[in-house]
């Protein structure tokens, strides 16, 4: 006999809500960084367009690895997420998914990512993915995040790994351009994250997370943002010898734009006037997209490589 709940579509909605909850565990917005950086790294590795199957397999395996790390992060940080306003809607806080099921889901995604990358690309890419998951969960989430104001500086290294995995997926090795791209994301992460933390300082303080804006004066935070911004822009130029004029032009122009906004934030902070750190946060996403899309187009078009000046 058909029930009123079945006629109203309630079971369907419950399945959809459950799927949405599991998707939420993977933090899809965070995984966007994977797409923005992995494909350009693969294009640069061959200085052209690699096999579409190889690109798809690397993205699938990389997405599973990132989803695994994020799901396991949700399990470890469930107590923090419950306190912070910004994270109270996450699945474990709302009890849409149990901690046990989230743990199983995260481990299964991690194992799946290794198998996909190993089978479709090479062993090195699979090992790098697993190492990234372990570093993010055990080093960043369980040790650094709650103990040091430099948590995001070193813990952010996990977010730099998609470019290395993408490069390794194509070449089977790690070369200097992959390490330079790693450095670009590494130096980009502090300005990006600290500008967000300036906005949500009270949230982090309430949760007991010693993000830099919680333990340092605003002017000290903005000074660090300026420092890392300069390091990031200079680091992008190290990639110029392996690319063409298109990448070089966009790296310089977008880098100058980022530097100007970082200095404006620091100047306003020093003067004690109201600031809008989220403007820099949103701009940082746009900046990273511009730099890596320019890298992708430059590589796909196989523009003449500028090379070293000597």
């Amino acid at each position: 006999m058909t029930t009123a709940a079945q006629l109203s579509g309630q079971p369907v909605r419950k399945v959809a809500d459950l799927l949405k909850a599991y998707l939420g565990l993977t933090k899809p917005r965070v995984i966007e960084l994977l797409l923005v950086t992995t494909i350009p790294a693969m294009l640069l590795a061959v200085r052209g367009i690699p096999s579409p199957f190889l690109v798809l397999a690397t993205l699938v395996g990389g997405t599973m690895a990132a989803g695994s790390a994020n799901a396991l992060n949700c399990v470890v940080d469930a107590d923090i997420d419950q306190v912070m306003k910004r994270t109270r809607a996450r699945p474990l806080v709302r009890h849409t998914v149990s901690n046990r099921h989230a743990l199983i889901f995260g481990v299964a995604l991690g194992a799946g990512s290794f198998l996909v990358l190993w089978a479709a690309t090479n062993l090195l890419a699979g090992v790098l993915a697993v190492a990234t998951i372990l570093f993010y969960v055990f080093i960043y989430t369980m040790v650094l995040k709650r103990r040091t104001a430099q948590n995001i500086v070193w813990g952010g290294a996990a977010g730099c790994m998609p470019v290395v995995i993408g490069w390794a997926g194509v070449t089977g090795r790690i070369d200097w351009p992959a390490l330079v791209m790693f450095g670009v994301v590494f130096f980009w992460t502090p300005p990006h994250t600290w500008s967000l933390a300036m906005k949500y300082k009270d949230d982090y303080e309430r949760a007991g997370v010693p993000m830099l804006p919680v333990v340092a004066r605003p002017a000290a935070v903005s000074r660090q943002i300026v420092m890392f911004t300069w390091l990031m822009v200079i680091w992008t130029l190290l990639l110029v010898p392996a690319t063409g004029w298109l990448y070089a032009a966009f790296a310089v122009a977008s880098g100058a734009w980022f530097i100007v906004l970082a200095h404006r934030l620091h100047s306003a902070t020093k003067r004690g006037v109201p600031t809008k750190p989220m403007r820099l946060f949103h701009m940082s996403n746009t900046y990273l997209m511009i730099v890596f899309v320019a890298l992708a187009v430059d590589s796909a078009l196989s523009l003449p490589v500028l090379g070293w000046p000597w």
Side-chain angles (χ1 to χ4, degrees):
M1 182 177 177
T2 304
T3 65
Q6 290 172 323
L7 289 174
S8 66
Q10 185 176 336
V12 176
R13 285 198 299 272
K14 285 184 177 179
V15 171
D17 290 342
L18 188 60
L19 292 176
K20 184 179 178 180
Y22 276 101
L23 179 63
L25 287 173
T26 67
K27 303 180 185 178
R29 294 297 300 273
V30 177
I31 293 179
E32 289 176 5
L33 175 64
L34 168 75
L35 303 177
V36 170
T37 60
T38 303
I39 295 177
M42 299 182 76
L43 294 175
L44 179 61
V46 299
R47 200 62 190 154
I49 301 177
S51 159
F53 171 77
L54 190 62
V55 173
L56 179 62
T58 304
L59 289 179
V60 170
T63 298
M64 292 174 68
S68 168
N70 290 333
L72 295 174
N73 169 267
C74 284
V75 174
V76 177
D77 278 354
D79 58 328
I80 293 177
D81 289 343
Q82 193 166 13
V83 175
M84 296 178 63
K85 293 180 181 178
R86 189 171 62 88
T87 56
R88 283 179 183 170
R90 286 181 177 171
L92 296 187
V93 178
R94 300 176 62 188
H95 304 291
T96 314
V97 179
S98 69
N99 282 24
R100 179 173 178 271
H101 288 167
L103 177 62
I104 294 171
F105 176 64
V107 172
L109 275 181
S113 71
F114 172 75
L115 294 175
V116 168
L117 290 170
W118 185 17
T121 61
N122 52 64
L123 179 60
L124 177 59
V127 170
L128 288 173
V130 173
T132 301
I133 296 170
L134 295 177
F135 177 85
Y136 187 73
V137 175
F138 290 101
I139 304 300
Y140 170 66
T141 305
M142 298 182 70
V143 178
L144 296 174
K145 185 172 183 178
R146 306 188 189 213
R147 289 175 172 82
T148 171
Q150 296 298 309
N151 47 20
I152 198 62
V153 176
W154 304 110
C160 310
M161 287 303 294
V163 295
V164 182
I165 294 171
W167 184 281
V170 173
T171 65
R173 60 182 187 274
I174 301 174
D175 300 302
W176 72 266
L179 297 179
V180 174
M181 288 183 286
F182 177 98
V184 170
V185 183
F186 181 82
F187 290 124
W188 168 86
T189 302
H192 170 75
T193 308
W194 285 335
S195 56
L196 176 70
M198 288 177 74
K199 169 71 173 179
Y200 293 101
K201 172 187 172 182
D202 293 341
D203 246 9
Y204 286 108
E205 189 171 13
R206 185 165 46 249
V209 179
M211 293 293 287
L212 188 62
V214 173
V215 301
R217 298 179 63 181
V221 177
S222 59
R223 187 181 303 113
Q224 289 280 312
I225 287 176
V226 168
M227 183 188 76
F228 274 95
T229 297
W230 273 99
L231 288 171
M232 172 192 67
V233 173
I234 292 171
W235 204 265
T236 62
L237 301 182
L238 297 180
L239 207 56
V240 168
T243 59
W245 66 267
L246 183 66
Y247 169 79
F250 276 93
V252 170
S254 59
W257 178 36
F258 203 133
I259 288 172
V260 168
L261 290 186
H263 275 279
R264 284 180 179 174
L265 176 64
H266 182 48
S267 177
T269 303
K270 284 195 303 180
R271 287 183 283 115
V273 300
T275 60
K276 295 181 179 180
M278 290 301 290
R279 180 178 297 173
L280 185 68
F281 171 77
H282 292 301
M283 179 271 167
S284 66
N285 288 321
T286 304
Y287 167 82
L288 195 71
M289 181 186 69
I290 290 173
V291 169
F292 276 91
V293 167
L295 178 62
V297 174
D298 190 290
S299 301
L301 295 178
S302 300
L303 295 177
V305 175
L306 296 177
W308 298 99
W310 55 81

